[in-house]
Amino acid sequence: QVQLVESGGGLVEAGGSLRLSCAASGRTFSTYGMGWFRQAPGKEREFVAHITWIDSVTYSDSVKGRFTISRDNAKNTVYLQMNSLKPEDTAVYYCAADRSGWRTSTGVDNYDFWGQGTQVTVSS
């Protein structure tokens, strides 16, 4: 079992930056693929970014060039650096872990563990 705890959300003006963190429990973090998703009110949860166990990264088109996903296996933590934020980035952001760390996972069904989410609000 893996527990994931997100932090770093908050309120920011359009054009600003935030860095989200997701701390994971357990000794197998380095073998997991890690993803970030978001869910706005009334919308489905959507893929944001993914990093494999060998640091191959994938982004959704809506955040490519603005967001950066990274991981620190020594700290069992995955990060999401969000720059040039827009009001449409407002959502609850979730991190998730995929035991099949070698594959690129963009679908919610591919993930085995989820955090509780952290709110990001971007004002215009």
Side-chain angles (χ1 to χ4, degrees):
Q1 190 76 6
V2 173
Q3 292 186 327
L4 304 173
V5 179
E6 301 98 334
S7 61
L11 173 64
V12 64
E13 292 185 350
S17 298
L18 282 175
R19 188 176 82 154
L20 305 183
S21 300
C22 174
S25 65
R27 293 179 289 179
T28 56
F29 174 80
S30 63
T31 68
Y32 283 59
M34 299 298 297
W36 287 97
F37 287 75
R38 65 188 182 186
Q39 189 166 18
K43 295 187 176 182
E44 293 187 352
R45 194 168 297 190
E46 67 171 357
F47 170 75
V48 174
H50 176 268
I51 186 166
T52 68
W53 69 317
I54 56 170
D55 293 349
S56 176
V57 298
T58 304
Y59 299 97
S60 68
D61 289 342
S62 62
V63 307
K64 197 173 296 182
R66 300 188 297 123
F67 291 11
T68 302
I69 188 171
S70 61
R71 66 191 302 161
D72 184 339
N73 291 335
K75 296 182 178 179
N76 275 17
T77 301
V78 63
Y79 303 98
L80 186 68
Q81 177 66 43
M82 306 186 295
N83 298 330
S84 302
L85 282 161
K86 304 174 181 180
E88 51 263 45
D89 294 318
T90 295
V92 177
Y93 282 71
Y94 298 89
C95 74
D98 177 9
R99 284 181 289 200
S100 300
W102 51 269
R103 66 181 177 184
T104 297
S105 300
T106 61
V108 296
D109 292 341
N110 288 344
Y111 289 83
D112 303 289
F113 307 102
W114 291 83
Q116 83 289 347
T118 186
Q119 176 71 47
V120 171
T121 303
V122 184
S123 63
S124 56

